[in-house]
Amino acid sequence: MRILSLDLEQFRNYNRQTIAFGDSDIQLFVGQNGSGKTNLLEALSILSLTQSCRGKEEQDMVEWEKSHYRLTATVRSDSGEMSKLEVVSEVAPRRRKAFFINDIRSPTASMVGFLPTVTFLPQDLLLFSGAPAERRRFLDELLSQVSPQYYESLSQYQKILQQRNALLKRIAAGNDRASVLDIWDRELAVKASTITLARLELIAALNVSFLEEVRSLGEIWNDAVLRYERKTQSHTVQEMQTELMQILLTNRDRDILLQSTSAGPHREDWQVFRDNRSIPSFASRGQERVAILALLLLQVSYLELRRGEKPVILLDDAFSELDDEHQQFLLQTFLGHQVIMTATRVPENAEGAGVFFVQSGSVINPFIR
């Protein structure tokens, strides 16, 4: 997949901006911190995933004192098919968001992953030592881009979870009966089993090549494995549903006391282990970085395999976080992919890149380095 053009309207610090991408594999946006470079990658992530890669709320992304933003991109598939993608988000007078593919309003599940992307942000270097929610999001974003069914199950699960937690609060306040939870436990377990099994399958797929990728990046590890952590043990949909319902019933009094659901995909986690030790317990910063890069490479391979399309790779200030050897390795590995990068200066090893200069929300036309 290739992005040919991007139009921004009232998005972040861009009032109106049109960017025409050239034919170079590497498109580099150069500017000082705060100039708006990362905002461009964020816009592309919204067109790909329907939400910010930085986890920001809609009102944070609308230009100051404006009521909406609009993002439009023209993309070309690897087979040469042209498509137009558009996202319109309104925050006033009421909140609403719409997605369009070739000017036809489309459901969120159809929009997610139509433009496949893999994103690297500086905060991703904290993936292993950070909050479990970020590791769950890593899996969810990858799976949502290859399976509309997964995205729908995840969305429905989150709604059921909110309703169950609201019911727990009413029960704790004496305004409802605990037995009413039975139906919600059943609904939650149905969606949860689909989500957990898909995550387990993804972890298994990543494990096939993870150690090989780590070694290709210079680390001599005897073993390295991703492990998924959950309260259930089953590996079939029906058995997992039954098991989770029993766990929720056992934890019911505790859930009512805490007014929160204690088991399910929203509580699950995963981690990288070497010699039965998780990465945060032993790895140096450099080793963690290598493991992150290995996962970046595996995301690209996984999306290309499952989608039949080369994903667009979005790298935010990656070269300031990597040494020269790893910079060159990534660029060589991503040959043939469109790589859209940000940097505070033009790197030495970005030969042939289309270079754009960003100044206070304005992008100056590119030149080929």
Side-chain angles (χ1 to χ4, degrees):
M1 187 75 77
R2 294 269 169 161
I3 302 168
L4 305 182
S5 66
L6 173 66
D7 289 277
L8 304 99
E9 176 185 321
Q10 298 176 175
F11 181 79
R12 293 287 192 179
N13 61 338
Y14 294 93
N15 179 258
R16 293 284 193 283
Q17 182 69 58
T18 296
I19 302 168
F21 294 95
D23 295 329
S24 301
D25 281 352
I26 301 173
Q27 308 290 326
L28 178 64
F29 291 89
V30 179
Q32 297 301 311
N33 293 329
S35 60
K37 306 185 302 298
T38 304
N39 295 344
L40 300 171
L41 301 188
E42 183 178 39
L44 293 172
S45 76
I46 294 170
L47 286 160
S48 172
L49 298 167
T50 73
Q51 57 188 353
S52 166
C53 59
R54 300 151 96 179
K56 300 300 184 181
E57 298 294 331
E58 295 300 310
Q59 62 268 21
D60 297 328
M61 296 182 286
V62 177
E63 187 183 12
W64 182 250
E65 295 186 337
K66 304 296 183 181
S67 62
H68 77 278
Y69 70 76
R70 183 189 308 272
L71 304 171
T72 308
T74 302
V75 301
R76 185 182 65 226
S77 71
D78 291 347
S79 63
E81 183 177 354
M82 306 285 286
S83 299
K84 176 184 174 184
L85 305 178
E86 184 176 0
V87 176
V88 182
S89 180
E90 183 181 80
V91 296
R94 63 190 181 96
R95 296 189 61 172
R96 53 183 176 173
K97 195 171 183 180
F99 310 102
F100 300 86
I101 300 175
N102 295 325
D103 296 320
I104 299 173
R105 186 161 185 171
S106 303
T108 310
S110 298
M111 186 76 171
V112 173
F114 187 97
L115 165 63
T117 58
V118 172
T119 304
F120 172 87
L121 304 174
Q123 55 263 40
D124 291 337
L125 295 172
L126 302 176
L127 181 67
F128 301 125
S129 57
E134 292 304 309
R135 290 186 289 278
R136 290 191 293 269
R137 188 167 78 160
F138 173 93
L139 301 180
D140 291 339
E141 289 184 353
L142 193 51
L143 286 166
S144 293
Q145 291 192 74
V146 302
S147 173
Q149 294 79 15
Y150 182 86
Y151 178 83
E152 290 286 7
S153 293
L154 184 64
S155 298
Q156 292 166 9
Y157 177 84
Q158 290 167 343
K159 292 175 183 177
I160 294 168
L161 180 64
Q162 290 175 353
Q163 291 168 325
R164 187 180 192 273
N165 287 341
L167 179 57
L168 289 171
K169 293 177 182 178
R170 291 201 300 272
I171 295 169
N175 297 324
D176 221 323
R177 294 173 290 107
S179 60
V180 181
L181 285 167
D182 290 345
I183 187 171
W184 292 108
D185 289 358
R186 189 176 304 109
E187 293 292 323
L188 195 78
V190 168
K191 298 303 177 186
S193 61
T194 301
I195 294 165
T196 298
L197 285 174
R199 290 178 179 175
L200 287 169
E201 290 173 2
L202 174 57
I203 291 291
L206 297 178
N207 270 327
V208 171
S209 302
F210 180 66
L211 179 58
E212 180 183 345
E213 293 291 0
V214 168
R215 288 173 173 170
S216 74
L217 289 161
E219 287 294 326
I220 309 302
W221 290 2
N222 294 324
D223 74 313
V225 63
L226 284 69
R227 291 183 188 168
Y228 193 73
E229 301 167 356
R230 58 188 175 119
K231 293 185 177 180
T232 54
Q233 301 297 321
S234 307
H235 287 84
T236 66
V237 170
Q238 190 59 54
E239 290 177 353
M240 192 176 296
Q241 290 175 15
T242 302
E243 187 180 1
L244 182 55
M245 287 173 62
Q246 183 58 53
I247 292 172
L248 291 172
L249 181 60
T250 301
N251 293 354
R252 182 168 291 184
D253 289 343
R254 180 175 179 271
D255 285 2
I256 293 171
L257 179 65
L258 298 178
Q259 301 176 33
S260 179
T261 301
S262 58
H266 67 291
R267 297 287 189 183
E268 295 169 350
D269 196 4
W270 63 275
Q271 196 50 269
V272 170
F273 284 79
R274 175 192 171 195
D275 298 328
N276 286 320
R277 293 186 297 164
S278 64
I279 270 197
S281 69
F282 77 88
S284 66
R285 186 176 178 184
Q287 289 173 322
E288 286 199 42
R289 192 164 298 183
V290 164
I292 294 292
L293 291 179
L295 287 174
L296 176 67
L297 299 174
L298 288 175
Q299 287 180 80
V300 174
S301 299
Y302 181 80
L303 279 175
E304 189 169 349
L305 178 66
R306 290 289 305 272
R307 289 291 312 278
E309 287 279 344
K310 289 184 172 68
V312 175
I313 299 158
L314 309 177
L315 304 178
D316 185 28
D317 204 22
F319 275 17
S320 69
E321 301 289 343
L322 304 176
D323 57 35
D324 291 343
E325 183 179 354
H326 286 139
Q327 290 176 23
Q328 194 62 39
F329 182 87
L330 283 186
L331 293 179
Q332 289 297 321
T333 301
F334 293 149
L335 283 175
H337 296 75
Q338 186 180 37
V339 180
I340 301 176
M341 305 172 52
T342 68
T344 54
R345 60 181 179 81
V346 179
E348 290 297 324
N349 51 4
E351 292 84 0
V355 182
F356 301 77
F357 289 100
V358 183
Q359 296 177 343
S360 301
S362 177
V363 179
I364 300 173
N365 288 332
F367 68 90
I368 303 299
R369 186 176 185 274

